[in-house]
PDB file of all heavy atoms in Angstrom:
ATOM      1  N   LYS A   1      83.486 113.363  91.161  1.00 85.00           N
ATOM      2  CA  LYS A   1      82.409 114.293  90.851  1.00 85.00           C
ATOM      3  C   LYS A   1      82.689 115.033  89.519  1.00 85.00           C
ATOM      4  O   LYS A   1      81.840 115.230  88.706  1.00 85.00           O
ATOM      5  CB  LYS A   1      82.214 115.293  91.999  1.00 85.00           C
ATOM      6  CG  LYS A   1      81.481 114.681  93.230  1.00 85.00           C
ATOM      7  CD  LYS A   1      81.651 115.552  94.461  1.00 85.00           C
ATOM      8  CE  LYS A   1      80.985 116.934  94.287  1.00 85.00           C
ATOM      9  NZ  LYS A   1      81.229 117.768  95.549  1.00 85.00           N
ATOM     10  N   GLY A   2      83.929 115.408  89.421  1.00 85.00           N
ATOM     11  CA  GLY A   2      84.315 116.167  88.212  1.00 85.00           C
ATOM     12  C   GLY A   2      84.262 115.317  86.935  1.00 85.00           C
ATOM     13  O   GLY A   2      84.062 115.858  85.848  1.00 85.00           O
ATOM     14  N   ALA A   3      84.516 113.990  87.059  1.00 83.00           N
ATOM     15  CA  ALA A   3      84.499 113.124  85.949  1.00 83.00           C
ATOM     16  C   ALA A   3      83.184 112.515  85.592  1.00 83.00           C
ATOM     17  O   ALA A   3      83.004 111.838  84.601  1.00 83.00           O
ATOM     18  CB  ALA A   3      85.622 112.007  86.132  1.00 83.00           C
ATOM     19  N   ALA A   4      82.226 112.653  86.460  1.00 81.00           N
ATOM     20  CA  ALA A   4      80.916 111.993  86.374  1.00 81.00           C
ATOM     21  C   ALA A   4      80.297 112.327  84.990  1.00 81.00           C
ATOM     22  O   ALA A   4      80.216 113.509  84.617  1.00 81.00           O
ATOM     23  CB  ALA A   4      79.998 112.432  87.500  1.00 81.00           C
ATOM     24  N   SER A   5      79.914 111.251  84.309  1.00 75.00           N
ATOM     25  CA  SER A   5      79.160 111.385  82.987  1.00 75.00           C
ATOM     26  C   SER A   5      80.012 111.991  81.848  1.00 75.00           C
ATOM     27  O   SER A   5      79.468 112.328  80.800  1.00 75.00           O
ATOM     28  CB  SER A   5      77.888 112.181  83.177  1.00 75.00           C
ATOM     29  OG  SER A   5      77.090 111.663  84.191  1.00 75.00           O
ATOM     30  N   LYS A   6      81.328 112.048  82.057  1.00 80.00           N
ATOM     31  CA  LYS A   6      82.255 112.622  81.044  1.00 80.00           C
ATOM     32  C   LYS A   6      82.662 111.467  80.172  1.00 80.00           C
ATOM     33  O   LYS A   6      82.810 110.349  80.556  1.00 80.00           O
ATOM     34  CB  LYS A   6      83.436 113.325  81.670  1.00 80.00           C
ATOM     35  CG  LYS A   6      83.058 114.546  82.518  1.00 80.00           C
ATOM     36  CD  LYS A   6      82.719 115.766  81.691  1.00 80.00           C
ATOM     37  CE  LYS A   6      82.239 116.927  82.553  1.00 80.00           C
ATOM     38  NZ  LYS A   6      83.198 117.347  83.572  1.00 80.00           N
ATOM     39  N   PRO A   7      83.059 111.764  78.884  1.00 78.00           N
ATOM     40  CA  PRO A   7      83.584 110.698  78.009  1.00 78.00           C
ATOM     41  C   PRO A   7      84.922 110.218  78.441  1.00 78.00           C
ATOM     42  O   PRO A   7      85.615 110.864  79.257  1.00 78.00           O
ATOM     43  CB  PRO A   7      83.721 111.391  76.633  1.00 78.00           C
ATOM     44  CG  PRO A   7      83.670 112.864  76.957  1.00 78.00           C
ATOM     45  CD  PRO A   7      82.928 113.069  78.180  1.00 78.00           C
ATOM     46  N   ALA A   8      85.332 108.991  78.005  1.00 74.00           N
ATOM     47  CA  ALA A   8      86.546 108.362  78.514  1.00 74.00           C
ATOM     48  C   ALA A   8      87.805 109.112  78.249  1.00 74.00           C
ATOM     49  O   ALA A   8      88.780 109.007  79.018  1.00 74.00           O
ATOM     50  CB  ALA A   8      86.652 106.947  77.927  1.00 74.00           C
ATOM     51  N   ASP A   9      87.862 109.959  77.218  1.00 79.00           N
ATOM     52  CA  ASP A   9      89.039 110.697  76.840  1.00 79.00           C
ATOM     53  C   ASP A   9      89.039 112.102  77.418  1.00 79.00           C
ATOM     54  O   ASP A   9      89.924 112.964  77.111  1.00 79.00           O
ATOM     55  CB  ASP A   9      89.204 110.722  75.304  1.00 79.00           C
ATOM     56  CG  ASP A   9      87.991 111.384  74.533  1.00 79.00           C
ATOM     57  OD1 ASP A   9      86.963 111.586  75.259  1.00 79.00           O
ATOM     58  OD2 ASP A   9      88.117 111.665  73.416  1.00 79.00           O
ATOM     59  N   ASP A  10      88.063 112.428  78.255  1.00 81.00           N
ATOM     60  CA  ASP A  10      87.977 113.738  78.844  1.00 81.00           C
ATOM     61  C   ASP A  10      89.151 113.906  79.862  1.00 81.00           C
ATOM     62  O   ASP A  10      89.530 112.943  80.557  1.00 81.00           O
ATOM     63  CB  ASP A  10      86.657 113.929  79.615  1.00 81.00           C
ATOM     64  CG  ASP A  10      86.412 115.355  80.025  1.00 81.00           C
ATOM     65  OD1 ASP A  10      85.927 116.174  79.250  1.00 81.00           O
ATOM     66  OD2 ASP A  10      86.749 115.715  81.150  1.00 81.00           O
ATOM     67  N   PRO A  11      89.763 115.113  79.967  1.00 84.00           N
ATOM     68  CA  PRO A  11      90.874 115.307  80.917  1.00 84.00           C
ATOM     69  C   PRO A  11      90.558 114.953  82.334  1.00 84.00           C
ATOM     70  O   PRO A  11      91.403 114.481  83.147  1.00 84.00           O
ATOM     71  CB  PRO A  11      91.205 116.752  80.772  1.00 84.00           C
ATOM     72  CG  PRO A  11      90.744 117.177  79.438  1.00 84.00           C
ATOM     73  CD  PRO A  11      89.595 116.279  79.094  1.00 84.00           C
ATOM     74  N   SER A  12      89.239 115.186  82.724  1.00 85.00           N
ATOM     75  CA  SER A  12      88.864 114.849  84.087  1.00 85.00           C
ATOM     76  C   SER A  12      89.003 113.348  84.416  1.00 85.00           C
ATOM     77  O   SER A  12      89.171 113.007  85.512  1.00 85.00           O
ATOM     78  CB  SER A  12      87.421 115.308  84.307  1.00 85.00           C
ATOM     79  OG  SER A  12      86.506 114.595  83.464  1.00 85.00           O
ATOM     80  N   MET A  13      88.952 112.496  83.374  1.00 84.00           N
ATOM     81  CA  MET A  13      89.074 111.103  83.606  1.00 84.00           C
ATOM     82  C   MET A  13      90.534 110.713  83.905  1.00 84.00           C
ATOM     83  O   MET A  13      90.801 109.817  84.709  1.00 84.00           O
ATOM     84  CB  MET A  13      88.635 110.351  82.321  1.00 84.00           C
ATOM     85  CG  MET A  13      87.149 110.237  82.139  1.00 84.00           C
ATOM     86  SD  MET A  13      86.417 109.237  83.472  1.00 84.00           S
ATOM     87  CE  MET A  13      84.707 109.214  82.956  1.00 84.00           C
ATOM     88  N   TYR A  14      91.457 111.451  83.344  1.00 86.00           N
ATOM     89  CA  TYR A  14      92.869 111.308  83.661  1.00 86.00           C
ATOM     90  C   TYR A  14      93.157 111.743  85.134  1.00 86.00           C
ATOM     91  O   TYR A  14      93.921 111.090  85.834  1.00 86.00           O
ATOM     92  CB  TYR A  14      93.790 112.016  82.672  1.00 86.00           C
ATOM     93  CG  TYR A  14      93.676 111.467  81.275  1.00 86.00           C
ATOM     94  CD1 TYR A  14      93.077 112.220  80.226  1.00 86.00           C
ATOM     95  CD2 TYR A  14      94.151 110.187  80.937  1.00 86.00           C
ATOM     96  CE1 TYR A  14      92.949 111.719  78.964  1.00 86.00           C
ATOM     97  CE2 TYR A  14      94.058 109.661  79.623  1.00 86.00           C
ATOM     98  CZ  TYR A  14      93.457 110.482  78.652  1.00 86.00           C
ATOM     99  OH  TYR A  14      93.325 109.996  77.375  1.00 86.00           O
ATOM    100  N   GLN A  15      92.516 112.830  85.495  1.00 88.00           N
ATOM    101  CA  GLN A  15      92.688 113.340  86.869  1.00 88.00           C
ATOM    102  C   GLN A  15      92.122 112.266  87.866  1.00 88.00           C
ATOM    103  O   GLN A  15      92.617 112.083  88.921  1.00 88.00           O
ATOM    104  CB  GLN A  15      91.884 114.624  86.999  1.00 88.00           C
ATOM    105  CG  GLN A  15      92.578 115.818  86.376  1.00 88.00           C
ATOM    106  CD  GLN A  15      91.779 117.129  86.579  1.00 88.00           C
ATOM    107  OE1 GLN A  15      90.619 117.165  86.775  1.00 88.00           O
ATOM    108  NE2 GLN A  15      92.571 118.211  86.475  1.00 88.00           N
ATOM    109  N   LEU A  16      90.967 111.656  87.439  1.00 87.00           N
ATOM    110  CA  LEU A  16      90.325 110.640  88.319  1.00 87.00           C
ATOM    111  C   LEU A  16      91.276 109.426  88.507  1.00 87.00           C
ATOM    112  O   LEU A  16      91.468 108.953  89.609  1.00 87.00           O
ATOM    113  CB  LEU A  16      89.046 110.152  87.641  1.00 87.00           C
ATOM    114  CG  LEU A  16      88.326 109.032  88.357  1.00 87.00           C
ATOM    115  CD1 LEU A  16      87.973 109.373  89.802  1.00 87.00           C
ATOM    116  CD2 LEU A  16      87.056 108.659  87.584  1.00 87.00           C
ATOM    117  N   LYS A  17      91.890 109.006  87.397  1.00 88.00           N
ATOM    118  CA  LYS A  17      92.838 107.876  87.526  1.00 88.00           C
ATOM    119  C   LYS A  17      94.065 108.262  88.371  1.00 88.00           C
ATOM    120  O   LYS A  17      94.496 107.416  89.106  1.00 88.00           O
ATOM    121  CB  LYS A  17      93.325 107.464  86.076  1.00 88.00           C
ATOM    122  CG  LYS A  17      92.233 106.693  85.302  1.00 88.00           C
ATOM    123  CD  LYS A  17      92.666 106.413  83.877  1.00 88.00           C
ATOM    124  CE  LYS A  17      91.536 105.717  83.073  1.00 88.00           C
ATOM    125  NZ  LYS A  17      91.921 105.584  81.626  1.00 88.00           N
ATOM    126  N   GLY A  18      94.527 109.492  88.203  1.00 90.00           N
ATOM    127  CA  GLY A  18      95.629 109.911  89.045  1.00 90.00           C
ATOM    128  C   GLY A  18      95.302 109.959  90.550  1.00 90.00           C
ATOM    129  O   GLY A  18      96.080 109.545  91.315  1.00 90.00           O
ATOM    130  N   ALA A  19      94.099 110.483  90.853  1.00 92.00           N
ATOM    131  CA  ALA A  19      93.607 110.503  92.190  1.00 92.00           C
ATOM    132  C   ALA A  19      93.451 109.106  92.780  1.00 92.00           C
ATOM    133  O   ALA A  19      93.794 108.873  93.991  1.00 92.00           O
ATOM    134  CB  ALA A  19      92.275 111.275  92.254  1.00 92.00           C
ATOM    135  N   ALA A  20      92.947 108.174  91.987  1.00 90.00           N
ATOM    136  CA  ALA A  20      92.802 106.822  92.412  1.00 90.00           C
ATOM    137  C   ALA A  20      94.185 106.190  92.750  1.00 90.00           C
ATOM    138  O   ALA A  20      94.329 105.407  93.702  1.00 90.00           O
ATOM    139  CB  ALA A  20      92.081 105.972  91.350  1.00 90.00           C
ATOM    140  N   LYS A  21      95.169 106.449  91.898  1.00 91.00           N
ATOM    141  CA  LYS A  21      96.476 105.956  92.102  1.00 91.00           C
ATOM    142  C   LYS A  21      97.120 106.438  93.401  1.00 91.00           C
ATOM    143  O   LYS A  21      97.696 105.691  94.140  1.00 91.00           O
ATOM    144  CB  LYS A  21      97.385 106.352  90.903  1.00 91.00           C
ATOM    145  CG  LYS A  21      98.780 105.709  90.915  1.00 91.00           C
ATOM    146  CD  LYS A  21      99.571 106.139  89.743  1.00 91.00           C
ATOM    147  CE  LYS A  21     100.964 105.561  89.815  1.00 91.00           C
ATOM    148  NZ  LYS A  21     101.866 106.020  88.688  1.00 91.00           N
ATOM    149  N   VAL A  22      96.911 107.760  93.672  1.00 92.00           N
ATOM    150  CA  VAL A  22      97.383 108.330  94.922  1.00 92.00           C
ATOM    151  C   VAL A  22      96.724 107.684  96.094  1.00 92.00           C
ATOM    152  O   VAL A  22      97.323 107.400  97.147  1.00 92.00           O
ATOM    153  CB  VAL A  22      97.193 109.867  94.940  1.00 92.00           C
ATOM    154  CG1 VAL A  22      97.479 110.429  96.311  1.00 92.00           C
ATOM    155  CG2 VAL A  22      98.088 110.555  93.858  1.00 92.00           C
ATOM    156  N   MET A  23      95.457 107.434  95.999  1.00 92.00           N
ATOM    157  CA  MET A  23      94.639 106.863  97.020  1.00 92.00           C
ATOM    158  C   MET A  23      95.252 105.446  97.387  1.00 92.00           C
ATOM    159  O   MET A  23      95.503 105.165  98.578  1.00 92.00           O
ATOM    160  CB  MET A  23      93.241 106.718  96.546  1.00 92.00           C
ATOM    161  CG  MET A  23      92.282 105.995  97.499  1.00 92.00           C
ATOM    162  SD  MET A  23      91.965 106.987  98.988  1.00 92.00           S
ATOM    163  CE  MET A  23      91.120 105.808  99.989  1.00 92.00           C
ATOM    164  N   VAL A  24      95.435 104.642  96.356  1.00 91.00           N
ATOM    165  CA  VAL A  24      95.991 103.285  96.641  1.00 91.00           C
ATOM    166  C   VAL A  24      97.384 103.349  97.188  1.00 91.00           C
ATOM    167  O   VAL A  24      97.732 102.517  98.086  1.00 91.00           O
ATOM    168  CB  VAL A  24      95.924 102.471  95.305  1.00 91.00           C
ATOM    169  CG1 VAL A  24      96.600 101.098  95.426  1.00 91.00           C
ATOM    170  CG2 VAL A  24      94.435 102.191  94.861  1.00 91.00           C
ATOM    171  N   THR A  25      98.171 104.253  96.676  1.00 93.00           N
ATOM    172  CA  THR A  25      99.545 104.482  97.189  1.00 93.00           C
ATOM    173  C   THR A  25      99.569 104.789  98.655  1.00 93.00           C
ATOM    174  O   THR A  25     100.307 104.203  99.496  1.00 93.00           O
ATOM    175  CB  THR A  25     100.305 105.604  96.420  1.00 93.00           C
ATOM    176  OG1 THR A  25     100.391 105.316  95.107  1.00 93.00           O
ATOM    177  CG2 THR A  25     101.654 105.898  97.011  1.00 93.00           C
ATOM    178  N   ASN A  26      98.608 105.637  99.094  1.00 94.00           N
ATOM    179  CA  ASN A  26      98.550 106.030 100.459  1.00 94.00           C
ATOM    180  C   ASN A  26      98.032 104.961 101.398  1.00 94.00           C
ATOM    181  O   ASN A  26      98.425 104.819 102.559  1.00 94.00           O
ATOM    182  CB  ASN A  26      97.726 107.341 100.664  1.00 94.00           C
ATOM    183  CG  ASN A  26      98.489 108.564 100.199  1.00 94.00           C
ATOM    184  OD1 ASN A  26      99.665 108.523 100.006  1.00 94.00           O
ATOM    185  ND2 ASN A  26      97.849 109.660 100.140  1.00 94.00           N
ATOM    186  N   VAL A  27      97.068 104.143 100.898  1.00 94.00           N
ATOM    187  CA  VAL A  27      96.577 102.961 101.654  1.00 94.00           C
ATOM    188  C   VAL A  27      97.729 101.993 101.832  1.00 94.00           C
ATOM    189  O   VAL A  27      97.939 101.448 102.922  1.00 94.00           O
ATOM    190  CB  VAL A  27      95.340 102.338 100.953  1.00 94.00           C
ATOM    191  CG1 VAL A  27      95.022 101.026 101.660  1.00 94.00           C
ATOM    192  CG2 VAL A  27      94.151 103.286 100.987  1.00 94.00           C
ATOM    193  N   THR A  28      98.466 101.734 100.756  1.00 93.00           N
ATOM    194  CA  THR A  28      99.593 100.795 100.865  1.00 93.00           C
ATOM    195  C   THR A  28     100.581 101.341 101.797  1.00 93.00           C
ATOM    196  O   THR A  28     101.216 100.543 102.612  1.00 93.00           O
ATOM    197  CB  THR A  28     100.274 100.680  99.419  1.00 93.00           C
ATOM    198  OG1 THR A  28      99.267 100.241  98.497  1.00 93.00           O
ATOM    199  CG2 THR A  28     101.363  99.654  99.474  1.00 93.00           C
ATOM    200  N   SER A  29     100.862 102.682 101.799  1.00 92.00           N
ATOM    201  CA  SER A  29     101.814 103.291 102.711  1.00 92.00           C
ATOM    202  C   SER A  29     101.346 103.071 104.129  1.00 92.00           C
ATOM    203  O   SER A  29     102.218 102.777 105.016  1.00 92.00           O
ATOM    204  CB  SER A  29     101.983 104.773 102.404  1.00 92.00           C
ATOM    205  OG  SER A  29     102.930 105.407 103.227  1.00 92.00           O
ATOM    206  N   LEU A  30     100.078 103.218 104.360  1.00 93.00           N
ATOM    207  CA  LEU A  30      99.538 103.053 105.755  1.00 93.00           C
ATOM    208  C   LEU A  30      99.780 101.625 106.257  1.00 93.00           C
ATOM    209  O   LEU A  30     100.219 101.417 107.324  1.00 93.00           O
ATOM    210  CB  LEU A  30      98.033 103.299 105.729  1.00 93.00           C
ATOM    211  CG  LEU A  30      97.266 102.872 106.983  1.00 93.00           C
ATOM    212  CD1 LEU A  30      97.694 103.668 108.268  1.00 93.00           C
ATOM    213  CD2 LEU A  30      95.746 103.041 106.790  1.00 93.00           C
ATOM    214  N   LEU A  31      99.502 100.664 105.411  1.00 92.00           N
ATOM    215  CA  LEU A  31      99.673  99.253 105.760  1.00 92.00           C
ATOM    216  C   LEU A  31     101.201  98.880 106.068  1.00 92.00           C
ATOM    217  O   LEU A  31     101.500  98.199 106.939  1.00 92.00           O
ATOM    218  CB  LEU A  31      99.182  98.304 104.660  1.00 92.00           C
ATOM    219  CG  LEU A  31      97.608  98.401 104.429  1.00 92.00           C
ATOM    220  CD1 LEU A  31      97.210  97.514 103.263  1.00 92.00           C
ATOM    221  CD2 LEU A  31      96.898  98.039 105.734  1.00 92.00           C
ATOM    222  N   LYS A  32     102.066  99.501 105.215  1.00 92.00           N
ATOM    223  CA  LYS A  32     103.520  99.326 105.485  1.00 92.00           C
ATOM    224  C   LYS A  32     103.963  99.905 106.817  1.00 92.00           C
ATOM    225  O   LYS A  32     104.734  99.327 107.545  1.00 92.00           O
ATOM    226  CB  LYS A  32     104.341  99.966 104.372  1.00 92.00           C
ATOM    227  CG  LYS A  32     104.331  99.172 103.026  1.00 92.00           C
ATOM    228  CD  LYS A  32     105.213  99.933 102.057  1.00 92.00           C
ATOM    229  CE  LYS A  32     105.191  99.191 100.650  1.00 92.00           C
ATOM    230  NZ  LYS A  32     105.971  99.983  99.683  1.00 92.00           N
ATOM    231  N   THR A  33     103.372 101.070 107.108  1.00 91.00           N
ATOM    232  CA  THR A  33     103.639 101.738 108.338  1.00 91.00           C
ATOM    233  C   THR A  33     103.167 100.943 109.559  1.00 91.00           C
ATOM    234  O   THR A  33     103.824 100.781 110.586  1.00 91.00           O
ATOM    235  CB  THR A  33     102.971 103.161 108.354  1.00 91.00           C
ATOM    236  OG1 THR A  33     103.557 103.870 107.294  1.00 91.00           O
ATOM    237  CG2 THR A  33     103.257 103.864 109.710  1.00 91.00           C
ATOM    238  N   VAL A  34     101.972 100.409 109.502  1.00 90.00           N
ATOM    239  CA  VAL A  34     101.379  99.534 110.513  1.00 90.00           C
ATOM    240  C   VAL A  34     102.237  98.343 110.811  1.00 90.00           C
ATOM    241  O   VAL A  34     102.493  97.960 111.924  1.00 90.00           O
ATOM    242  CB  VAL A  34      99.920  99.126 110.205  1.00 90.00           C
ATOM    243  CG1 VAL A  34      99.472  98.037 111.163  1.00 90.00           C
ATOM    244  CG2 VAL A  34      98.985 100.282 110.219  1.00 90.00           C
ATOM    245  N   LYS A  35     102.725  97.731 109.723  1.00 88.00           N
ATOM    246  CA  LYS A  35     103.643  96.583 109.801  1.00 88.00           C
ATOM    247  C   LYS A  35     104.939  96.939 110.444  1.00 88.00           C
ATOM    248  O   LYS A  35     105.396  96.212 111.353  1.00 88.00           O
ATOM    249  CB  LYS A  35     103.798  95.974 108.441  1.00 88.00           C
ATOM    250  CG  LYS A  35     104.668  94.632 108.465  1.00 88.00           C
ATOM    251  CD  LYS A  35     104.816  94.061 107.073  1.00 88.00           C
ATOM    252  CE  LYS A  35     105.663  92.808 107.060  1.00 88.00           C
ATOM    253  NZ  LYS A  35     105.931  92.309 105.711  1.00 88.00           N
ATOM    254  N   ALA A  36     105.487  98.081 110.047  1.00 87.00           N
ATOM    255  CA  ALA A  36     106.768  98.517 110.585  1.00 87.00           C
ATOM    256  C   ALA A  36     106.747  98.885 112.087  1.00 87.00           C
ATOM    257  O   ALA A  36     107.696  98.719 112.795  1.00 87.00           O
ATOM    258  CB  ALA A  36     107.279  99.698 109.818  1.00 87.00           C
ATOM    259  N   VAL A  37     105.556  99.339 112.519  1.00 83.00           N
ATOM    260  CA  VAL A  37     105.390  99.737 113.916  1.00 83.00           C
ATOM    261  C   VAL A  37     105.694  98.580 114.873  1.00 83.00           C
ATOM    262  O   VAL A  37     106.209  98.714 115.998  1.00 83.00           O
ATOM    263  CB  VAL A  37     103.998 100.307 114.163  1.00 83.00           C
ATOM    264  CG1 VAL A  37     103.619 100.301 115.650  1.00 83.00           C
ATOM    265  CG2 VAL A  37     103.899 101.754 113.621  1.00 83.00           C
ATOM    266  N   GLU A  38     105.392  97.344 114.369  1.00 79.00           N
ATOM    267  CA  GLU A  38     105.586  96.142 115.222  1.00 79.00           C
ATOM    268  C   GLU A  38     106.997  95.733 115.270  1.00 79.00           C
ATOM    269  O   GLU A  38     107.442  94.897 116.055  1.00 79.00           O
ATOM    270  CB  GLU A  38     104.727  95.007 114.661  1.00 79.00           C
ATOM    271  CG  GLU A  38     103.262  95.235 114.806  1.00 79.00           C
ATOM    272  CD  GLU A  38     102.411  94.111 114.204  1.00 79.00           C
ATOM    273  OE1 GLU A  38     102.965  93.272 113.491  1.00 79.00           O
ATOM    274  OE2 GLU A  38     101.171  94.129 114.367  1.00 79.00           O
ATOM    275  N   ASP A  39     107.854  96.297 114.375  1.00 81.00           N
ATOM    276  CA  ASP A  39     109.272  95.932 114.341  1.00 81.00           C
ATOM    277  C   ASP A  39     110.119  97.227 114.634  1.00 81.00           C
ATOM    278  O   ASP A  39     110.258  98.039 113.731  1.00 81.00           O
ATOM    279  CB  ASP A  39     109.601  95.410 112.952  1.00 81.00           C
ATOM    280  CG  ASP A  39     111.112  95.010 112.805  1.00 81.00           C
ATOM    281  OD1 ASP A  39     111.825  95.061 113.856  1.00 81.00           O
ATOM    282  OD2 ASP A  39     111.566  94.640 111.704  1.00 81.00           O
ATOM    283  N   GLU A  40     110.601  97.346 115.823  1.00 78.00           N
ATOM    284  CA  GLU A  40     111.346  98.596 116.204  1.00 78.00           C
ATOM    285  C   GLU A  40     112.531  98.910 115.294  1.00 78.00           C
ATOM    286  O   GLU A  40     112.809 100.050 115.116  1.00 78.00           O
ATOM    287  CB  GLU A  40     111.750  98.462 117.634  1.00 78.00           C
ATOM    288  CG  GLU A  40     110.630  98.624 118.697  1.00 78.00           C
ATOM    289  CD  GLU A  40     111.090  98.763 120.105  1.00 78.00           C
ATOM    290  OE1 GLU A  40     112.213  99.251 120.251  1.00 78.00           O
ATOM    291  OE2 GLU A  40     110.394  98.331 120.993  1.00 78.00           O
ATOM    292  N   ALA A  41     113.116  97.877 114.723  1.00 81.00           N
ATOM    293  CA  ALA A  41     114.325  98.084 113.868  1.00 81.00           C
ATOM    294  C   ALA A  41     113.991  98.781 112.541  1.00 81.00           C
ATOM    295  O   ALA A  41     114.889  99.318 111.950  1.00 81.00           O
ATOM    296  CB  ALA A  41     115.026  96.755 113.629  1.00 81.00           C
ATOM    297  N   THR A  42     112.708  98.750 112.148  1.00 87.00           N
ATOM    298  CA  THR A  42     112.393  99.325 110.830  1.00 87.00           C
ATOM    299  C   THR A  42     111.481 100.562 110.969  1.00 87.00           C
ATOM    300  O   THR A  42     111.064 101.116 109.988  1.00 87.00           O
ATOM    301  CB  THR A  42     111.669  98.310 109.927  1.00 87.00           C
ATOM    302  OG1 THR A  42     110.404  97.889 110.577  1.00 87.00           O
ATOM    303  CG2 THR A  42     112.544  97.087 109.708  1.00 87.00           C
ATOM    304  N   ARG A  43     111.104 100.952 112.169  1.00 90.00           N
ATOM    305  CA  ARG A  43     110.209 102.075 112.354  1.00 90.00           C
ATOM    306  C   ARG A  43     110.718 103.352 111.718  1.00 90.00           C
ATOM    307  O   ARG A  43     109.985 104.046 111.025  1.00 90.00           O
ATOM    308  CB  ARG A  43     109.957 102.330 113.848  1.00 90.00           C
ATOM    309  CG  ARG A  43     108.961 101.324 114.521  1.00 90.00           C
ATOM    310  CD  ARG A  43     108.754 101.678 115.975  1.00 90.00           C
ATOM    311  NE  ARG A  43     107.979 100.691 116.690  1.00 90.00           N
ATOM    312  CZ  ARG A  43     107.651 100.785 117.946  1.00 90.00           C
ATOM    313  NH1 ARG A  43     108.056 101.818 118.682  1.00 90.00           N
ATOM    314  NH2 ARG A  43     106.860  99.821 118.508  1.00 90.00           N
ATOM    315  N   GLY A  44     111.970 103.682 112.000  1.00 91.00           N
ATOM    316  CA  GLY A  44     112.525 104.945 111.497  1.00 91.00           C
ATOM    317  C   GLY A  44     112.615 104.955 109.954  1.00 91.00           C
ATOM    318  O   GLY A  44     112.235 105.950 109.336  1.00 91.00           O
ATOM    319  N   THR A  45     113.047 103.824 109.430  1.00 92.00           N
ATOM    320  CA  THR A  45     113.203 103.744 107.962  1.00 92.00           C
ATOM    321  C   THR A  45     111.808 103.916 107.272  1.00 92.00           C
ATOM    322  O   THR A  45     111.633 104.645 106.348  1.00 92.00           O
ATOM    323  CB  THR A  45     113.687 102.326 107.538  1.00 92.00           C
ATOM    324  OG1 THR A  45     114.990 102.119 108.235  1.00 92.00           O
ATOM    325  CG2 THR A  45     113.891 102.194 106.103  1.00 92.00           C
TER     326      THR A  45
END
């Protein structure tokens, strides 16, 4: 919302890219966690 209609070099665009990166990181983390749940030896790690 903050970056909507702003130019490509606007600071809000960098914030948007950072937020998107965190989003993908957390989705990846969720998938790793789901996989680890099936293997008791790696759950804690």
Side-chain angles (χ1 to χ4, degrees):
K1 281 164 65 181
S5 306
K6 299 280 173 61
D9 59 348
D10 192 84
S12 61
M13 283 295 182
Y14 295 110
Q15 287 181 334
L16 175 59
K17 286 176 183 174
K21 187 179 176 184
V22 171
M23 177 70 189
V24 173
T25 298
N26 284 350
V27 172
T28 304
S29 183
L30 168 66
L31 295 177
K32 284 182 182 176
T33 299
V34 170
K35 186 179 178 184
V37 161
E38 295 177 351
D39 179 9
E40 286 189 29
T42 63
R43 283 182 185 180
T45 303

